[in-house]
Amino acid sequence: MKDILLSTSASEGHQSGPSSQKVSFHSSLLQTLPDLRGFARFLTRDATAADDLVQDTIVRALASQDQFQQGTALKAWLFTIQRNAFYEQTRRRSREQEIMLDIELDMQPSTAVPSRQNARDAVQDLGELLWKLPDLLREALILVGGQELSYEDAAQVCNVPAGTMRARVSRARTRLAELATENTDIPETDPEKKII
């Protein structure tokens, strides 16, 4: 992907006017690739899926680069595209799973209930705790805390007012602290089983 952007930028680098804006756009796009990859990994939880999401984001951004307004935050614009692409893919996969489940149920009815892993079995690292947050809170915390976007830019990415983004980040931090406390609580021991 980087090679394609570089070759496109280099071939257009000798022209002036609107094409020089494209060169600037492409070089700015290259600079945001690590941030796009990081945000994609938090969204997808999978390195391969994250790379696919970044590629999809770049393709969409290049296809609609004329819609980008010079002077606005490119990173926020790209995160908006990436977020929308992720939720679009998630909805599509969810619908596909529903269809496959319907097909399975039609073919072979089953009364077995799928087993659920106990939430207390999770490891106590920050990554595990982040995934316990609701999607909107985790997303807000990652955009503002992890990707270092301003509240205003993060709000633009999520298409909400800046005050809503501040509230989500605050709730996410509070909930993260609660989860950390829950995971560090030492289970009570039976007084009759004390070791002497």
Side-chain angles (χ1 to χ4, degrees):
M1 179 61 65
K2 207 173 204 177
D3 297 335
I4 293 170
L5 289 173
L6 286 172
S7 65
T8 306
S9 296
S11 66
E12 294 174 346
H14 300 293
Q15 302 170 354
S16 61
S19 63
S20 65
Q21 289 178 346
K22 286 184 179 181
V23 171
S24 174
F25 179 84
H26 290 176
S27 63
S28 298
L29 193 60
L30 281 172
Q31 292 173 357
T32 61
L33 282 177
D35 295 326
L36 286 172
R37 190 168 287 122
F39 186 46
R41 287 194 179 180
F42 272 104
L43 289 172
T44 62
R45 301 183 194 189
D46 177 70
T48 304
D51 289 341
D52 291 344
L53 181 58
V54 170
Q55 183 175 356
D56 188 26
T57 302
I58 297 298
V59 168
R60 289 177 185 217
L62 290 172
S64 48
Q65 73 184 59
D66 294 336
Q67 296 175 12
F68 176 69
Q69 298 173 1
Q70 292 294 338
T72 59
L74 177 65
K75 189 174 179 180
W77 185 71
L78 291 170
F79 279 5
T80 302
I81 292 172
Q82 187 171 61
R83 178 181 181 266
N84 291 342
F86 171 72
Y87 284 119
E88 180 183 308
Q89 292 171 2
T90 302
R91 282 191 298 273
R92 188 179 312 125
R93 271 193 306 273
S94 175
R95 183 66 186 134
E96 288 170 356
Q97 288 174 353
E98 287 175 15
I99 291 169
M100 293 306 292
L101 183 61
D102 287 344
I103 291 170
E104 281 182 30
L105 291 175
D106 287 343
M107 291 174 61
Q108 186 177 16
S110 173
T111 57
V113 178
S115 63
R116 303 257 182 210
Q117 182 180 1
N118 189 347
R120 286 277 208 219
D121 295 340
V123 180
Q124 293 184 25
D125 67 358
L126 181 60
E128 293 284 334
L129 295 178
L130 277 173
W131 293 116
K132 291 182 180 180
L133 291 175
D135 292 343
L136 293 177
L137 299 184
R138 182 176 64 247
E139 176 182 71
L141 194 59
I142 291 167
L143 286 172
V144 174
Q147 293 297 331
E148 299 177 353
L149 289 180
S150 67
Y151 287 110
E152 291 74 20
D153 287 345
Q156 182 184 355
V157 169
C158 296
N159 197 25
V160 297
T164 301
M165 185 55 61
R166 282 186 180 88
R168 286 180 182 175
V169 170
S170 176
R171 287 196 315 261
R173 288 177 176 155
T174 301
R175 184 64 187 131
L176 200 57
E178 291 170 357
L179 288 169
T181 303
E182 288 174 11
N183 281 353
T184 58
D185 284 345
I186 300 171
E188 292 183 20
T189 57
D190 187 353
E192 295 177 4
K193 295 183 179 180
K194 284 185 181 176
I195 300 175
I196 302 178

